[in-house]
Amino acid sequence: MHSLEISDLITAVDPRTGHRLPVQRAEVIRRLRESGDERAARIVAGLPAGPDGVLDPDAVDRLLIGVHTELQRLSEELRIGERLVQLLGPVFTAIRETDGRQGGPYRLVDVGCGLGYLVRWLAATHALGADVELVGVDLDAALVGEAGHLARAEGLNCRFVHGNAFDLPQAATVYVSTGVLHHFRGPALAEFFQTQAASPAQAFCHFDIAATRLAPIGAWIFHRARMRHPLGRHDGVVSAQRAHSDETLLSAAAAPGIRPLLYEPRGAANPFCTTLRPVIGVRPHLEAPLRRALGRSARRLVGPEHLTEANR
C-alpha cells in the first residue's frame, strides 16, 4: 500500500473548471486508515469541519499556506534557486543559440508553484535575463493567490496564475517544478512528461527528492527540526518515501521528441549531500549546445544509456 500525503487529500478541485470541491473529513480519514497510516488519520481528525463533515476550507487554506511558508525556508537552506539556475542558465543559453531570435521573448512556467518561491527568487535576482518572462501556476487558488500577494509586496516582475500550467493561452518555453514529481503515480507520471513533449516547449527541468536510502531518515530529521505543524512533518517524510528512482524518472520522461537526461544520478553523487536532483528534457537539437554551455559540469548529465551500462 502506497503512503499518502495529507495535503493531497484535504483539498480538491474540479479538473474542468478549477472550482473548489467540498472534502469530507471522514472520507480522508478512511483513506488514510486503509493505507495503514493511523498517525495521519489522527492529524486529519483534528482539523476543523462543519456540521456536514466538510473540512473548513478557510482553515485548510491557512494551514497549507503556513506549511508552504515553512517549506520556503527549506528551499532557502537547500539553495534551490541557485541550483536550478546552474542548469537553467545553460538551458536558456542553448535555446538562444539555436533559436535565431534576438532577445526572445521566452517564457518559464513553474508547474505547481505553491507560494512561488522559485519564481520570486528568479525575479529578484534577474538570474535568467530580461528576455525571460517568469510565470508561476498552481491549481490551489489560496497558494497562488498568496504568491501573487508576496510578489506585489516585493515589487517583483513576475506573475502567478490559478489553473492548469498546460492550459495557459501562451505556451511555455521551459517548464520547471520543485517537489512535484513524486505526487504523480503510475501512468500519470509519463502523461505529465508527454504533455510537455507535445507542447511547443523547448525543454523542462523538474527537481524532486533523490530516491536514496538516506532520504526518508534525512527528511525526518530535517522536517522534525524545521517544521512545526504535524502535517508538514508527516508529508515531508512521506514525500521522501514516495520519491521516484532514477530509472523510473528517465523512463517516464522518454517522450517522443524529447531527449531525457538526469543530472547527478544515484551512484554519481554523494548520498549525504544529495537531497534534490533534476530530470531534464530537451529537444534533441539542444543537447549538444546544452553540454557546451554546461562546460565541465556536463559530465554529471546522463541519459538512459548510462543506467543501462551501470546495471551490466
Side-chain angles (χ1 to χ4, degrees):
M1 184 71 70
H2 291 295
S3 299
L4 300 173
E5 290 182 58
I6 298 170
S7 54
D8 284 345
L9 304 177
I10 59 176
T11 62
V13 296
D14 187 319
R16 295 170 301 171
T17 66
H19 293 159
R20 188 168 191 154
L21 301 174
V23 176
Q24 287 285 335
R25 183 172 60 186
E27 173 62 15
V28 177
I29 293 172
R30 181 190 66 77
R31 291 185 62 184
L32 290 168
R33 283 181 172 151
E34 286 184 354
S35 73
D37 195 340
E38 184 58 36
R39 175 171 170 260
R42 289 197 299 271
I43 293 172
V44 173
L47 300 181
D52 55 358
V54 173
L55 285 169
D56 182 337
D58 294 333
V60 168
D61 287 347
R62 289 194 297 273
L63 172 60
L64 292 182
I65 288 174
V67 169
H68 278 76
T69 300
E70 292 185 322
L71 278 173
Q72 176 174 312
R73 297 195 194 105
L74 295 183
S75 296
E76 293 168 350
E77 293 185 12
L78 294 173
R79 303 174 69 86
I80 295 300
E82 290 93 333
R83 294 175 64 185
L84 198 68
V85 166
Q86 288 178 358
L87 291 172
L88 283 179
V91 166
F92 275 102
T93 296
I95 291 173
R96 293 184 182 104
E97 179 182 327
T98 58
D99 189 44
R101 287 185 288 178
Q102 298 296 318
Y106 305 105
R107 183 171 297 105
L108 175 141
V109 173
D110 184 4
V111 184
C113 66
L115 294 182
Y117 168 73
L118 175 63
V119 167
R120 290 188 287 114
W121 186 91
L122 291 171
T125 58
H126 309 286
L128 296 180
D131 59 347
V132 180
E133 181 189 6
L134 302 170
V135 184
V137 186
D138 204 295
L139 290 171
D140 190 302
L143 292 179
V144 80
E146 182 67 11
H149 170 75
L150 292 170
R152 289 189 294 276
E154 296 161 352
L156 299 176
N157 184 22
C158 57
R159 63 188 176 97
F160 293 92
V161 179
H162 172 221
N164 187 330
F166 306 124
D167 288 339
L168 296 178
Q170 296 174 309
T173 310
V174 177
Y175 288 105
V176 301
S177 73
T178 54
V180 167
L181 294 181
H182 66 271
H183 290 279
F184 295 103
R185 317 306 301 179
L189 183 64
E191 292 170 6
F192 175 74
F193 292 114
Q194 289 165 4
T195 300
Q196 295 164 79
S199 78
Q202 294 296 300
F204 56 73
C205 182
H206 298 292
F207 273 76
D208 205 29
I209 301 165
T212 67
R213 285 183 294 179
L214 296 175
I217 184 64
W220 185 87
I221 295 172
F222 216 59
H223 288 80
R224 191 74 186 174
R226 295 299 191 209
M227 306 292 280
R228 287 173 292 184
H229 196 279
L231 183 150
R233 292 177 173 179
H234 173 273
D235 281 9
V237 176
V238 171
S239 62
Q241 295 169 341
R242 287 156 55 97
H244 296 297
S245 68
D246 292 352
E247 292 82 356
T248 297
L249 287 178
L250 279 175
S251 175
I258 283 291
R259 166 66 166 157
L261 300 162
L262 199 65
Y263 194 71
E264 295 186 329
R266 186 181 66 248
N270 185 337
F272 290 95
C273 301
T274 304
T275 51
L276 301 175
R277 51 91 176 87
V279 59
I280 303 167
V282 296
R283 299 300 177 189
H285 70 277
L286 290 174
E287 181 177 359
L290 171 60
R291 289 183 179 277
R292 286 197 298 273
L294 281 168
R296 290 174 58 84
S297 296
R299 296 175 300 175
R300 304 174 184 176
L301 199 61
V302 303
E305 66 279 0
H306 168 82
L307 298 180
T308 302
E309 295 168 359
N311 291 330
R312 285 177 181 169

